[in-house]
Amino acid sequence: MGEPVTTAETFPQLLLESQLCFPLYAGARRVVNAYTPFLRPLGLTYTQYIVFLCLWEYGETTVGDLCARLYLDNGTITPLVKRMEQEGYVTRCRCREDERVVKVRLTEKGWALREQAREIPMQVGSCVTLSREDALQLHRLLYRLLEGKTE
């Protein structure tokens, strides 16, 4: 039967370096991991942190809106918010107009955490080895990708 021909010769589209998904995945992991030393003292995971970012921005929102804004599913957000409620950071309540909708609101403790977290973006930013211009371009391109825009 002989030696199989290498992928590079016959299937270049299957090379790891040909994939857009791989540098996105590996880069995202690297950036998310850069947050860990700054979030650990606050007792937060990265996913909890981005939920807090959303709540600090909007004050009160629904679980559905959190899912949409964070590109996460209900199965990820719901247990996370329940745990944040148990820790005293948020309250949850059903919407009077539609009982299927769950509203999430920060408590005083949740708002107080914002003060402790305020330097995290700058701290993590200093760990990213891109120029400001490249970082802004990457940010813009990633949002275009998320929004499904082709221009």
Side-chain angles (χ1 to χ4, degrees), residues 8-60:
E9 295 170 5
T10 55
F11 299 103
Q13 72 275 20
L14 295 179
L15 293 173
L16 186 60
E17 68 183 32
S18 298
Q19 310 307 308
L20 175 61
C21 62
F22 180 70
L24 281 171
Y25 165 77
R29 283 182 42 94
R30 178 171 284 174
V31 171
V32 168
N33 287 340
Y35 280 85
T36 301
F38 305 109
L39 295 175
R40 188 176 292 126
L42 303 179
L44 298 178
T45 64
Y46 177 77
T47 311
Q48 287 173 315
Y49 174 67
I50 62 174
V51 168
F52 273 114
L53 291 176
C54 213
L55 290 170
W56 292 328
E57 183 174 349
Y58 296 100
E60 175 182 283

Side-chain angles (χ1 to χ4, degrees), residues 81-149:
V81 169
K82 282 182 181 179
R83 193 161 110 223
M84 292 167 71
E85 183 178 42
Q86 290 168 351
E87 294 171 359
Y89 291 118
V90 300
T91 59
R92 294 178 306 138
C93 66
R94 297 231 173 246
C95 181
R96 288 183 185 156
E97 298 82 33
D98 185 348
E99 295 249 337
R100 296 170 297 180
V101 176
V102 176
K103 291 184 179 181
V104 182
R105 177 181 292 152
L106 287 165
T107 62
E108 272 188 50
K109 184 178 178 182
W111 281 113
L113 190 63
R114 179 176 62 168
E115 184 63 32
Q116 294 176 267
R118 67 187 237 170
E119 299 299 323
I120 290 174
M122 284 70 72
Q123 292 168 321
V124 172
S126 68
C127 299
V128 175
T129 58
L130 294 175
S131 70
R132 179 162 171 71
E133 181 182 304
D134 285 348
L136 290 171
Q137 182 178 9
L138 179 59
H139 182 270
R140 184 180 56 78
L141 291 171
L142 289 172
Y143 268 101
R144 275 183 45 198
L145 178 68
L146 287 172
E147 294 164 1
K149 294 183 180 178

